[in-house]
Amino acid sequence: MIKTVAIIGAGFAGLSTAKVLKTFGYEVTVFEKAADVGGVWSASRRYPGLTTQNPRTTYALSDFPMPASYPEWPSGAQVQAYLAAYAEHFGIAEHVLLETEVQRASYDERSATWTVRARRRREALSLAFDFLVVCNGIFSAPFVPSYAGRDEFVANGGRICHTCELHDPEDARGKHVLVVGYGKSSCDVASAVASTSASTTVVARELIWKVPKLLGKLLNFKFLLLTRMGEALFEYIELAGLERFLHGAGRGIRDAMLGSVEAVITRQLRLRELGLHPGKPLETIARSTVSLASDGFFEQVASGALTVERNVEIVRLSAGYAHLSDGREVRADLVVCGTGFQQRVPFLDDDVVRRVTDAQGNFQLHRSVLPVGVPRLAFNGYNSSFFSQLNCEMSALWLVQHLRGDIALPSEAAQREHIARRLAWMEARTAGKHAKGTNIIPFSLHHIDELLADMKMTLSPAKRVAQWLLPVDPSDYAYVERALRARYGAESARDAAASHERATREEHAEAAE
């Protein structure tokens, strides 16, 4: 019988998993190596200029909206505060072991238990659990290239770091800053430090499309991409209904819609005048991630406050300089790398890693949650999407039903066939940029629909229709947990705490009498 659950990571995935499992009677322990909850939003990982890509009302868990006082695009610090408040509100904080890094998690088949060995500050821990959920996320290990000449560059006072390791914009004051990459984090950092640095140069191997927060300076982008219609503009692995029309007989309508948006973005950001047009269709934004235009970035390019060197990369560093692939040299004292992350699970035994990944390191997860044929192990947060937080929460609820034995899983052979088919589709549509099989952008709602279908739950027709034209409100999905509580007779974490408090007060009152 599964009663105790270890959860690795205290970001959106870890906290929502803990809250959901606790609600349904499981004893949870969350291991978090940082000094605060938040995952990528932790103070230990926030870079200057960090904000959400999603507007506030769409980037919340279903039963805990973000404060109305937050701006439309909350800062990294505000998201971390939101997650800390979520943990406190639902009684999860007391189950989180902060500053505790998991060093090894091993499964013993005879006892059917996981032993988690961790180090909490100077204390060594070894704890046994019935089940393990890995929630360390797909952004767990920052990747920094090993540039030739690195030692000479650093010995002469240079610094190389990842965007998530640059916490204070003052570190760039008066320095020649070179930012590697053209994703959101790179452009955020470049925009944040350009006004105080001696120079700021972005080195972009490839340009991607940037989406303004307000299209035409009027329409919030959430009405374009955070709806079912926005999702339907991109071709899913299986097509049905209106989507089949949009990618069949109605393809011209779909192309015209994307083409009109592409034209608006090109004009608004002055991409051709600035030499920053990606030179490929807008629909390529769905290959890996949608990148919002960083506040002030294109204005600073236009004013000359920062420079973008496109279609090049660093081939070598030397004292005070970066040497580019086109033969030019660029002054550099500080090199900030927005070069992505690696998905690592170093705490799992090699045998387990081989069973949950393929030869290329792609994670083999049914519904992005269950590894095939590995007992008492699940993953959550391995599903990068527009609504990552909502996908995490729905996956946690799906996991509860699985633990109760109420999810009808296909055979292992069928699961493997389905995973292989999806991975091949991901490989083709993303040109290999599928984050080791964990990228479901832009198909957030499709993934949630599949989880709910397994759970034999459906969104109300009225809400489903509304989601075609209006941005998805996470509270639309609060009914899922309520339905499971009704099905299993569980109390919510908050209700359980309230019941315990009432019982305690009654006991004290009786003792006083």
Side-chain angles (χ1 to χ4, degrees), residues 40-312:
V40 296
W41 305 103
S42 164
S44 63
R45 302 188 64 175
R46 292 199 298 268
Y47 58 79
L50 174 62
T51 65
T52 63
Q53 292 220 114
N54 286 45
R56 169 179 56 82
T57 55
T58 66
Y59 196 59
L61 294 156
S62 69
D63 55 359
F64 197 72
M66 281 197 173
S69 60
Y70 277 16
E72 182 73 343
W73 284 273
S75 69
Q78 287 172 321
V79 178
Q80 191 281 326
Y82 165 82
L83 285 169
Y86 175 86
E88 288 289 344
H89 181 79
F90 289 107
I92 301 304
E94 62 193 77
H95 300 280
V96 179
L97 302 180
L98 297 174
E99 298 182 83
T100 305
E101 184 170 6
V102 174
Q103 298 174 319
R104 181 64 58 188
S106 302
Y107 183 69
D108 182 79
E109 293 192 8
R110 288 180 298 177
S111 62
T113 58
W114 284 91
T115 298
V116 176
R117 294 179 176 84
R119 180 160 292 279
R120 190 181 195 193
R121 303 180 185 97
R122 296 183 179 180
E123 178 187 6
L125 303 178
S126 181
L127 303 170
F129 298 90
D130 301 322
F131 200 90
L132 174 66
V133 187
V134 177
C135 300
N136 67 331
I138 67 170
F139 305 120
S140 58
F143 172 71
V144 175
S146 298
Y147 295 115
R150 176 191 182 105
D151 291 345
E152 178 188 350
F153 178 78
V154 173
N156 284 273
R159 178 188 174 192
I160 306 171
C161 66
H162 194 273
T163 51
C164 71
E165 297 169 326
L166 182 71
H167 308 306
D168 189 349
E170 286 299 307
D171 290 348
R173 182 173 293 277
K175 295 181 179 179
H176 296 285
V177 181
L178 193 152
V179 183
V180 183
Y182 196 66
K184 184 175 184 294
S185 64
S186 295
C187 294
D188 280 350
V189 168
S191 185
V193 306
S195 62
T196 58
S197 65
S199 68
T200 299
T201 303
V202 173
V203 175
R205 182 171 56 186
E206 178 184 15
L207 294 185
I208 61 174
W209 281 95
K210 299 288 184 175
V211 179
K213 291 178 177 178
L214 299 177
L215 288 164
K217 300 183 180 181
L218 292 173
L219 180 67
N220 193 312
F221 95 101
K222 65 185 179 182
F223 291 97
L224 169 66
L225 291 176
L226 303 186
T227 66
R228 285 187 179 272
M229 176 59 78
E231 197 165 301
L233 295 176
F234 305 96
E235 189 170 356
Y236 193 52
I237 188 171
E238 297 165 347
L239 297 173
L242 180 57
E243 292 181 11
R244 183 180 290 121
F245 170 76
L246 289 172
H247 297 278
R251 182 84 181 192
I253 298 173
R254 175 260 187 194
D255 291 348
M257 293 172 69
L258 282 176
S260 63
V261 174
E262 180 177 318
V264 169
I265 293 174
T266 300
R267 288 194 303 271
Q268 182 175 340
L269 299 182
R270 301 173 60 199
L271 297 180
R272 296 197 186 279
E273 295 92 322
L274 298 175
L276 296 178
H277 193 286
K280 51 193 172 186
L282 178 64
E283 65 180 288
T284 57
I285 62 174
R287 284 187 175 176
S288 55
T289 183
V290 170
S291 183
L292 287 192
S294 302
D295 293 340
F297 181 84
F298 290 96
E299 291 82 357
Q300 291 182 92
V301 173
S303 70
L306 67 85
T307 302
V308 178
E309 299 292 350
R310 60 177 296 176
N311 303 324
V312 295

